[in-house]
Amino acid sequence: MTKLNVYCCTLAGRAEGMVAARSRKVAAELLGLSLYELTTYGHEANDADEAVALGAPGAVFHRADGFAGTGPWVLSKPAP
């Protein structure tokens, strides 16, 4: 089984997106970003956020205020 990594990225200024995927390239596609954008603006998830993403691999989650680091993750696109 392929190891999953959790990828987070600030989107459109303040929103934040997160997905658990097998590669950065797949994560970028799921988040609707270029590989460059995810590599440049991406950041690591904390343990609680990782648990959310790993609970639904391939599903895309968004949070309205990524800079505050608060607020619930909302499922925006189910896993393919």
Side-chain angles (χ1 to χ4, degrees):
M1 181 168 164
T2 304
K3 181 179 182 247
L4 294 172
N5 292 311
V6 176
Y7 299 93
C8 291
C9 189
T10 303
L11 308 168
R14 288 192 64 94
E16 186 176 14
M18 175 176 70
V19 65
R22 67 184 191 282
S23 71
R24 189 177 306 273
K25 181 180 178 190
V26 171
E29 290 171 4
L30 290 169
L31 289 167
L33 302 170
S34 69
L35 187 55
Y36 171 81
E37 289 171 314
L38 183 57
T39 302
T40 303
Y41 304 110
H43 54 86
E44 292 190 23
N46 63 33
D47 293 340
D49 294 344
E50 276 190 14
V52 171
L54 291 172
V60 177
F61 295 90
H62 282 92
R63 179 164 47 194
D65 193 357
F67 287 119
T70 59
W73 286 103
V74 177
L75 178 65
S76 61
K77 185 168 49 170

